[in-house]
Amino acid sequence: MGTARDAVLDYAEGTLRLLPGQAAVTSAVLQGPPAALLERSTQLVRGFAGERTDGGALFRAAAGLPGETAAPGPDGGADDGRGCALVQSLPALSRESEGSAMAARADRLAEAADRLHWELAEREGLSEGPAAGRLAARYALCYAGAALLWLWRAGGESRPEWTYEALDVVLAALEDPAGVPDVPAALALLPA
């Protein structure tokens, strides 16, 4: 395996194989620009509040298991209109991690994502400038953290130590986001 960053990006690719309707939002999260993500604020906030996700597909992608591709979105394209299924899975992952070695980290990540979605709701319409870059970076960190949790879950307690270390880096950046101005900086934080 390569770096933690490689693992997150490979996981993102695996989820798109099973959930092609997530292509547009995944591209917006990982490649930007901030406006591409933040123009979806309403969709992201509603999806997170409703926990609209597909845990089966997210687990299969993490475990490298085959599975049927989900039906395309309402317009048959790359945007299924439900927000970011991976980030929206954080509350359920937090509940399901209870009692595990990853429980406290999963709770902190779900709480950070909840705060971020409240902020997205309050700052709707923000699409440019440093504040927009920091919001997009925090969303990318939540995305990376969710991917790491799914990879850990698929590997169980025997998952290599790097999943814990990488998630600690994500959490530290989410708790002090001033040093993470944009998505490339957020992804560059993931350890090698």
Side-chain angles (χ1 to χ4, degrees):
M1 195 213 76
T3 66
R5 181 178 186 270
D6 293 337
V8 167
L9 297 176
D10 289 348
Y11 178 73
E13 195 174 297
T15 62
L16 295 181
R17 177 179 51 82
L18 298 171
L19 298 169
Q22 290 285 289
V25 74
T26 299
S27 175
V29 170
L30 297 177
Q31 298 169 355
L37 176 67
L38 299 177
E39 71 186 14
R40 294 174 162 75
S41 289
T42 301
Q43 186 184 74
L44 296 171
V45 169
R46 286 183 184 153
F48 187 79
E51 295 185 33
R52 294 189 308 194
T53 191
D54 184 340
L58 295 172
F59 180 83
R60 287 192 305 277
L65 300 172
E68 290 189 30
T69 299
D75 63 356
D79 188 352
D80 59 15
R82 65 176 167 180
C84 183
L86 183 58
V87 173
Q88 290 160 193
S89 72
L90 284 171
L93 278 172
S94 177
R95 290 187 300 271
E96 293 166 8
S97 307
E98 192 174 316
S100 73
M102 194 64 88
R105 291 172 178 95
D107 289 346
R108 287 171 52 205
L109 184 58
E111 289 167 7
D114 187 54
R115 284 190 303 275
L116 175 59
H117 285 87
W118 277 103
E119 192 171 338
L120 285 171
E122 292 171 355
R123 299 180 97 181
E124 191 170 343
L126 179 68
S127 62
E128 294 183 21
R134 286 189 299 274
L135 280 174
R138 286 170 50 208
Y139 207 93
L141 288 166
C142 287
Y143 185 98
L148 291 164
L149 281 176
W150 278 104
L151 290 166
W152 169 82
R153 185 170 179 212
E157 297 287 341
S158 65
R159 198 64 170 158
E161 194 66 27
W162 65 262
T163 56
Y164 300 98
E165 294 166 8
L167 198 51
D168 287 342
V169 167
V170 166
L171 290 167
L174 281 168
E175 290 164 359
D176 184 21
V180 190
D182 55 28
V183 171
L187 295 176
L189 289 174
L190 293 173

